[in-house]
Amino acid sequence: SDNRTLEIRIMRYGDRQLLLIARDVTRLNQLEGMRKDFVANVSHELKTPLTVLQGYLEIMQTMEGTDSPNSKPLELMQQQTTRMQSMVEQLLALSRIEDADEIDLSQVVDMRVMIDVLKEEAKALALTDYTLVFDCDPELNIHGVELQLRSACSNLISNAIRYTPEGGTITVTWNKVAQGARFSVTDTGQGIAPQHISRLTERFYRVDNARSSKTGGTGLGLAIVKHALSHHHSELIIVSEVGVGSTFSFIIPSHLLADEVT
Ligand code: ADP
C-alpha cells in the first residue's frame, strides 16, 4: 500500500538455495522518526530557560562577590548550567546529523584548512604539558561535508586530550592508504577495557561516570562521530589498551578522494 518500507534480506542457504526475508519496518521507522523529533524539540526548548538561568546566575555572582559564603554554591550552579548547555548543544548537533538523510558529497573539503583549524583547537585545549604531533598530508582532499568531518575529527582529538593525563602525547595523522584516506588520533591516555569498546558510540554511554563527569563530557561525542562517518561511507575503528592508550581512526574510501579543491 502507500509508503510502506520493507527491509529485504537475501541469504545464501546451502549450495543452491536462497532465503529471502522481508520485514515491514514502516512502524519502526515512524517510531524512530518520532523519537528524533522529540529529542530535537526538547533540546531546542531547553535552550531558552538555560540561557535565562545562566544570565541570572552571572548577575548573582557579581552581586555576591568572591568573599560571600554563597560564592561556591553559585559557582557550582554555574558549572552545571554550562554543562547542561553543552549537552543541549550536542543533542541538537546529534539530531541534525542523524536527520541529514540525503547528504551532498559533491563538495570538496579543503584538508589544508581543516588540519590547521584542528591544530589550533588542539593547542587551545592542551594548555598544560602535552606533546601534540601532527603528521598530516594537507593535499589529501576528499569529497564530503566539511562541518560533519570537522566535528568528527575534533571530537576524537578533544577526547584524546581529555582522557590523557598531563605529560601525554597526542598524535594525529591523515594519510593515503590502500583503501582510501586514513585519519587517526593516538593518545597515551588511560585506555579503554575491551568490554566497553563496542558500546562507546551509543548515546550517553560513558566508561566511568565518576571520572568522566570531571572531564566535562556529555557521552554524545562518539555518537556524533559515528553518524558523521557513516554519511561518508566510513566507520570508527577503536584500538585500545588500558593504561597504555588508544587509537581512534577511520578510513574514507577511495571513491571519495578528490584531486583538488574547487
Ligand atoms: P564524553 O562526552 O563522555 O567524552 P564520548 O561519546 O565522546 O563522550 O565518549 C564516550 C566515552 O568513551 C567517554 O566517556 C570515555 O569513557 C570513553 N573515551 C572516549 N575517548 C577516549 C579516549 N581517547 N581514551 C579513553 N577513553 C575514551
Side-chain angles (χ1 to χ4, degrees):
S1 69
D2 45 60
N3 280 331
R4 304 205 73 82
T5 314
L6 288 183
E7 190 184 88
I8 295 174
R9 240 180 268 178
I10 302 171
M11 286 184 273
R12 190 189 274 282
Y13 193 62
D15 252 3
R16 312 152 109 232
Q17 293 173 68
L18 289 177
L19 186 65
L20 191 128
I21 299 173
R23 193 160 75 114
D24 186 340
V25 289
T26 314
R27 181 79 188 128
L28 214 67
N29 286 353
Q30 275 170 356
L31 285 173
E32 183 62 8
M34 278 162 68
R35 182 194 63 76
K36 282 181 189 163
D37 286 350
F38 176 76
V39 171
N41 290 339
V42 170
S43 318
H44 192 77
E45 292 301 318
L46 284 173
K47 272 171 93 166
T48 312
L50 278 171
T51 311
V52 174
L53 272 175
Q54 192 153 46
Y56 278 109
L57 277 170
E58 250 165 57
I59 295 172
M60 284 170 79
Q61 269 182 318
T62 330
M63 282 178 7
E64 291 283 326
T66 42
D67 302 332
S68 151
N70 291 331
S71 93
K72 189 71 194 165
L74 280 172
E75 194 191 313
L76 289 176
M77 285 161 84
Q78 176 118 52
Q79 275 171 14
Q80 295 303 319
T81 33
T82 307
R83 207 166 144 225
M84 260 160 95
Q85 259 170 339
S86 71
M87 286 179 83
V88 165
E89 286 304 327
Q90 290 227 293
L91 273 171
L92 280 171
L94 183 60
S95 61
R96 270 194 296 267
I97 232 165
E98 274 183 335
D99 251 15
D101 287 333
E102 316 113 42
I103 289 287
D104 174 15
L105 293 175
S106 67
Q107 297 290 323
V108 176
V109 181
D110 188 336
M111 289 306 289
R112 187 181 298 277
V113 173
M114 192 160 112
I115 291 162
D116 282 344
V117 172
L118 291 173
K119 235 187 243 177
E120 290 311 311
E121 266 180 21
K123 272 194 222 155
L125 272 176
L127 281 179
T128 46
D129 182 25
Y130 288 95
T131 308
L132 293 176
V133 181
F134 272 77
D135 172 16
C136 298
D137 179 354
E139 274 158 34
L140 182 55
N141 295 318
I142 51 168
H143 289 280
V145 182
E146 214 249 304
L147 243 142
Q148 292 190 8
L149 282 169
R150 179 139 51 86
S151 115
C153 297
S154 86
N155 264 303
L156 295 180
I157 297 174
S158 76
N159 278 353
I161 297 169
R162 285 189 298 124
Y163 296 106
T164 299
E166 277 174 38
T169 301
I170 317 292
T171 309
V172 179
T173 73
W174 172 246
N175 292 109
K176 195 153 183 198
V177 291
Q179 309 98 304
R182 177 173 182 267
F183 179 85
S184 78
V185 183
T186 301
D187 63 54
T188 56
Q190 62 191 50
I192 305 146
Q195 71 268 26
H196 296 296
I197 289 186
S198 62
R199 302 197 55 195
L200 289 187
T201 57
E202 286 172 22
R203 283 181 220 99
F204 297 114
Y205 189 83
R206 316 186 71 191
V207 172
D208 175 347
N209 264 306
R211 185 159 43 187
S212 20
S213 62
K214 261 187 260 155
T215 63
T218 56
L220 292 169
L222 291 180
I224 294 175
V225 173
K226 177 186 158 179
H227 284 280
L229 292 183
S230 88
H231 289 155
H232 294 81
H233 312 161
S234 179
E235 59 190 14
L236 190 59
I237 303 161
I238 306 169
V239 179
S240 185
E241 198 176 325
V242 173
V244 178
S246 318
T247 296
F248 286 73
S249 66
F250 60 83
I251 293 173
I252 300 292
S254 303
H255 72 269
L256 289 179
L257 295 188
D259 292 333
E260 55 198 76
V261 183
T262 42

